[in-house]
Structure formats: C-alpha cells, structure tokens
Amino acid sequence: MHSNIRILSALGVITAAAVAGCASTDGSADLNAKADAFFKASFAPGPGQDLSRLEQDETQKACSQYRANPPEAVAKAIQAREAKNIVYPADGKLMGDWKAGAKVFNDGFAMRIGSFMPSNPNAVRGGNCYACHQGEAKEAAYGNLGPSLLHYGKLRGQSDAIVKYTYEKIYNAKAFNACSAMPRLGHKGVLNPKQVADLTAYLISPESPINR
Ligand code: HEC
C-alpha cells in the first residue's frame, strides 16, 4: 500500500513536470494558456480542495520561465527571498525527537486531491520523503529523484552548522537551490516546525536507524 502511494506521488510530480514542459517548449503564449487551462481543469473543486495551489508564486513562475535553470542573479534573488520565510520552532530547538521524525519521514500522507482527499483535510501530514530519497537500510521501496539520505548524520556529523542547514533545507529546499525539485515542505504548510525539527533529529541523531 505504502509503495503504491509513493509511486502515485512520483507520477504526480512527473505529470506536472511534463505539462509544464509542454507549456514552454513552443514559447507561444496561446499554447501556454491552453496547457494551463488543461492542467487546471484536471483538478475538480470540492470540499477541502485548495485550488489556490494551482497559482504559481513568484519563485515557481521564475523557475518555469527558465526551465528550472535560472541565470545566477535570478537564482540568488530566489534563494534570498525563500530563506527569509523560514520559521523555527518556538522553543528554538532544531533537533527534535528522532522517533517522531521517523514516522513523518515514512508517512506518505501529504496534501490530497480528488478521491484521495481525507475526511479531515487538516489531519497531520507526513513528508513522503521515501518518494524521492533512500532512507533506512531496511526499506527497499524508495524513489531516487533526490540523493540517498542513508547514513546522513554519520557522513555529515552533528555540528550546529549541519543541524541548521538540515532544518532549513527540509523547511525550504529552494533557499539553497533556487529551483529544487524538492517541495518547500515547511513554507508550503505541509509540515510544521516541530515536524521539521523531528525530521532533522531523525537524519542526524547517532541513535537514528538512518545512521545504523
Ligand atoms: C519530490 C521529491 C522530493 C521529496 C518528496 C523530498 N525531497 Fe529532499 N531532495 C530532493 C532533491 C531532488 C534533492 C537534491 C536537490 C536539492 O538539494 O535541492 C533533495 C535534497 C534533500 C536534502 C539535502 C541533501 C544533502 O546532501 O545536502 C535533504 C536533507 C533532504 N532532501 C531531505 C528530505 C526530507 C527529510 C524529505 C521529507 C520530509 C524530503 N527530502 C522530501 C527531492 C525530494
């Protein structure tokens, strides 16, 4: 079941990328508008459905315009803007509870559309990290769009700088890589600061199965 959800999520990413790709190859505004309308029409309005997510923000627009490869000055401006929206846990602790982080990492329950919509759209969400990353050695079902995170803490260490980078990267990947394919999980409200801190501990703590 879990691996089906992961495959579906990965397909969603690919479909969205393919539609975005078609929209800009031709370069004609008309074709762009048609592709946009087609894409939007495939999301039906309904209870809990948030169609505002179909509107690109400034960063997404720039990344579409430059096919995820913006000139350096544009990339720097995106990263500076995205870095400003990072929110930290109220208690200031960027290393949370790795056991709770393990659950968030493994949980494929993110934002849902159509028939996947949960009865409670505000239910706690997961990070769906396995859709794109290898994690614990024992887990065989994972995507490889992102780099392997197996032994992340063992390889990077536990310095304050690594803890801060890891928290911020999970909160908003585009603060470091302007047009990263990794969703801005904290910024977009998929995960809250406590969950991001728990994930940070899960990746870094020596006790975490990621580092075994
Ligand atoms: C849709 C795919 C996708 C999902 C889902 C995703 N990531 Fe990523 N992630 C990437 C990609 C691609 C990169 C490499 C490019 C970059 O750094 O922006 C990356 C990079 C990272 C890095 C930096 C690795 C390094 O060596 O510096 C961390 C840490 C990370 N992801 C953690 C997570 C965690 C934790 C989750 C779940 C909460 C997650 N990712 C979900 C695609 C994804």
Side-chain angles (χ1 to χ4, degrees):
M1 183 59 188
H2 245 121
S3 50
N4 283 344
I5 290 172
R6 275 170 208 148
I7 290 164
L8 277 173
S9 314
L11 280 177
V13 170
I14 292 161
T15 315
V19 172
C22 294
S24 34
T25 339
D26 178 87
S28 96
D30 186 44
L31 192 58
N32 281 349
K34 276 186 187 156
D36 232 32
F38 178 79
F39 185 68
K40 283 181 183 171
S42 63
F43 292 87
Q49 175 69 289
D50 178 6
L51 294 175
S52 70
R53 290 165 61 211
L54 295 174
E55 299 305 325
Q56 290 192 315
D57 66 18
E58 208 180 332
T59 293
Q60 289 164 324
K61 276 185 192 146
C63 291
S64 291
Q65 183 187 344
Y66 295 107
R67 311 292 303 270
N69 189 17
E72 205 182 326
V74 176
K76 278 196 176 143
I78 291 174
Q79 287 168 203
R81 183 173 60 240
E82 295 297 330
K84 277 195 209 132
N85 65 40
I86 297 175
V87 174
Y88 301 91
D91 64 6
K93 284 190 192 144
L94 304 188
M95 281 276 268
D97 168 4
W98 71 258
K99 286 184 183 153
K103 290 197 188 118
V104 182
F105 193 96
N106 189 50
D107 188 349
F109 186 97
M111 285 172 162
R112 286 288 185 266
I113 49 165
S115 57
F116 291 116
M117 201 67 215
S119 49
N120 173 10
N122 297 319
V124 173
R125 301 180 177 114
N128 205 17
C129 312
Y130 276 115
C132 298
H133 292 284
Q134 180 178 25
E136 292 181 30
K138 67 166 200 236
E139 176 59 74
Y142 57 84
N144 59 6
L145 187 61
S148 170
L149 298 174
L150 175 65
H151 296 161
Y152 181 90
K154 217 175 175 174
L155 297 168
R156 302 295 192 91
Q158 294 120 41
S159 68
D160 289 350
I162 283 297
V163 170
K164 186 169 183 286
Y165 161 72
T166 306
Y167 181 93
E168 293 177 343
K169 179 73 189 178
I170 300 170
Y171 194 94
N172 189 339
K174 290 181 174 62
F176 299 89
N177 176 3
C179 296
S180 175
M182 177 162 155
R184 292 166 289 176
L185 295 156
H187 175 51
K188 286 291 171 181
V190 178
L191 302 177
N192 61 41
K194 155 102 175 53
Q195 290 177 300
V196 177
D198 291 344
L199 284 164
T200 302
Y202 176 61
L203 289 183
I204 292 178
S205 168
E207 287 94 63
S208 164
I210 279 268
N211 295 314
R212 297 278 170 77

